[in-house]
Amino acid sequence: MSSNSTRRPWNVRRLPRADGRVFLVTGGNAGIGYFVAEQLSTTGATVVLGSRDTAKAEAAMASIRAHVPDARVRAVRLDLADLSSLKASVAALGVRQLDAVVHNAGVALDDPPRRETADGHELMFATNHLGHFALTRWLMPLLSAAPAARVVTTGSFAAKSERLDLDDLQSRADYRPKRTYGRSKLAQMSFGVELDRRLRTAGSSVTSVVAHPGGALDSLTPSRPAVHARSVGARLGGAPAALLVQGKDAGAWPAVRAVLDPSVHGGLLWGPRVFGLRGEPRPEPVWSHVADRSVAARLWDASRDLTGVDPGTVLG
């Protein structure tokens, strides 16, 4: 990246070039992850969509190529709820180094009953947090091989009002879907901040950054046929909300900047400029409960025990 590009003000619609670099976006076939992948594809980088649904990944790649004709985009099967499959998914990337991973994929359930993965873990906590925790362990050698790789964790505004119950991480005693989702995203964000602390201690060239999309609604998101369709009624009905929130294309901006901007440092939280809900990306203070070191350390140990792997063993 040229020195001139680092001095220009950040422009969400004129991203710096990233030719020759490789980025992995988990859940890159839909929602915010799709727009992260589409926007990163405009930089000349190779973008890999991590998706458990092959058909949806194919549709997303076709959509990206339609909007970015010279896009270098491909997909790898990735099921974060299946911990035993993650090592093979990383091997299937077929690369010697990885310049960034965007931990974006997530599950949000609206109604009971509580669901578990084949490993016996609550589905949202398993997919949103434990899967990314374990994936990071298998990706770390590839990230460490790049000159200055980044792990970008996409959190959620839903985590701001939640607190982790370290004695009930699996929501066995208290399962309420919205609360469990918010706590799973909080765990993910706490991991992102703690990961950077451990990377710094290890003297690693890899950095970890946390981003959140603010308020991102489907009704304000531009249509992408076969990926996301927005009716005229939805567009008109969602228009008043645009004063406070935004579409998922704009919700992707903080994560995209966290990947590309050379001025971004590890351990930071990036979100939308206006009340943390909409607008261009900016750094904001890390929420105090996300930054709590004692909670993060206990979460890390619990995650290691539940997944059987530890990203800390391969930091460097």
Side-chain angles (χ1 to χ4, degrees), residues 5-87:
S5 68
T6 65
R7 289 194 295 266
R8 286 197 298 263
W10 188 261
N11 187 332
V12 296
R13 294 178 178 83
R14 296 188 64 182
L15 300 176
R17 299 296 297 177
D19 301 88
R21 295 163 72 185
V22 181
F23 304 137
L24 170 64
V25 183
T26 73
N29 60 278
I32 290 168
Y34 168 83
F35 286 99
V36 170
E38 182 184 283
Q39 290 166 29
L40 290 175
S41 293
T42 68
T43 68
T46 296
V47 179
V48 184
L49 311 185
S51 173
R52 61 188 174 88
D53 190 314
T54 302
K56 289 182 178 179
E58 291 289 342
M61 288 191 291
S63 179
I64 289 172
R65 291 180 181 126
H67 288 85
V68 187
D70 59 348
R72 295 179 176 90
V73 60
R74 57 188 180 87
V76 65
R77 191 177 186 282
L78 179 68
D79 184 354
L80 291 163
D82 181 3
L83 296 175
S84 66
S85 71
L86 298 181
K87 186 177 181 180

Side-chain angles (χ1 to χ4, degrees), residues 22-26 48 76 78 80 86-103 131-146 149-152 195 206 309 311 314-316:
V22 181
F23 304 137
L24 170 64
V25 183
T26 73
V48 184
V76 65
L78 179 68
L80 291 163
L86 298 181
K87 186 177 181 180
S89 293
V90 170
L93 288 171
V95 296
R96 294 183 178 179
Q97 65 181 49
L98 185 66
D99 295 279
V101 56
V102 180
H103 287 331
H132 284 118
F133 180 91
L135 178 64
T136 302
R137 185 266 175 261
W138 300 117
L139 288 176
M140 194 54 67
L142 299 179
L143 293 162
S144 298
R150 292 182 182 174
V151 178
V152 177
L195 175 63
V206 182
V309 300
V314 289
L315 297 184

Side-chain angles (χ1 to χ4, degrees), residues 32-303:
I32 290 168
Y34 168 83
F35 286 99
V36 170
E38 182 184 283
Q39 290 166 29
L40 290 175
S41 293
T42 68
T43 68
T46 296
V47 179
V48 184
L49 311 185
S51 173
R52 61 188 174 88
D53 190 314
T54 302
K56 289 182 178 179
E58 291 289 342
M61 288 191 291
S63 179
I64 289 172
R65 291 180 181 126
H67 288 85
V68 187
D70 59 348
R72 295 179 176 90
V73 60
R74 57 188 180 87
V76 65
R77 191 177 186 282
L78 179 68
D79 184 354
L80 291 163
D82 181 3
L83 296 175
S84 66
S85 71
L86 298 181
K87 186 177 181 180
S89 293
V90 170
L93 288 171
V95 296
R96 294 183 178 179
Q97 65 181 49
L98 185 66
D99 295 279
V101 56
V102 180
H103 287 331
N104 164 84
V107 172
L109 302 179
D110 294 326
D111 300 304
R114 180 181 176 278
R115 294 169 56 187
E116 290 189 350
T117 67
D119 296 310
H121 301 142
E122 190 281 318
L123 182 60
M124 288 186 279
F125 181 71
T127 304
N128 302 352
H129 170 61
L130 293 179
H132 284 118
F133 180 91
L135 178 64
T136 302
R137 185 266 175 261
W138 300 117
L139 288 176
M140 194 54 67
L142 299 179
L143 293 162
S144 298
R150 292 182 182 174
V151 178
V152 177
T153 297
T154 303
S156 171
F157 213 71
K160 195 165 190 177
S161 60
E162 294 296 342
R163 299 296 183 272
L164 290 176
D165 183 345
L166 292 164
D167 296 318
D168 190 28
L169 289 172
Q170 302 274 17
S171 298
R172 289 190 171 93
D174 180 15
Y175 180 75
R176 284 175 274 177
K178 285 185 170 50
R179 167 169 282 187
T180 297
Y181 171 76
R183 288 180 172 179
S184 73
K185 297 302 288 185
L186 174 55
Q188 202 178 350
M189 296 171 77
S190 179
F191 164 63
V193 173
E194 178 66 13
L195 175 63
D196 194 72
R197 291 191 194 109
R198 298 188 183 216
L199 288 164
R200 301 284 67 72
T201 300
S204 176
S205 61
V206 182
T207 56
S208 176
V209 185
V210 179
H212 74 87
L217 302 184
D218 282 333
S219 60
L220 299 174
T221 302
S223 291
R224 293 292 187 267
V227 176
H228 165 71
R230 180 178 64 162
S231 67
V232 174
R235 186 175 70 248
L236 294 175
L243 295 171
L244 294 174
V245 293
Q246 58 195 355
K248 293 184 176 180
D249 55 328
W253 292 344
V256 169
R257 185 167 187 177
V259 169
L260 294 172
D261 189 345
S263 72
V264 171
H265 300 294
L268 297 180
L269 174 62
W270 286 78
R273 183 173 301 277
V274 183
F275 304 120
L277 292 172
R278 64 181 297 274
E280 297 202 1
R282 66 162 185 184
E284 59 182 87
V286 178
W287 305 337
S288 60
H289 59 301
V290 171
D292 189 314
R293 294 190 177 200
S294 62
V295 170
R298 290 179 61 192
L299 174 66
W300 186 289
D301 290 344
S303 302

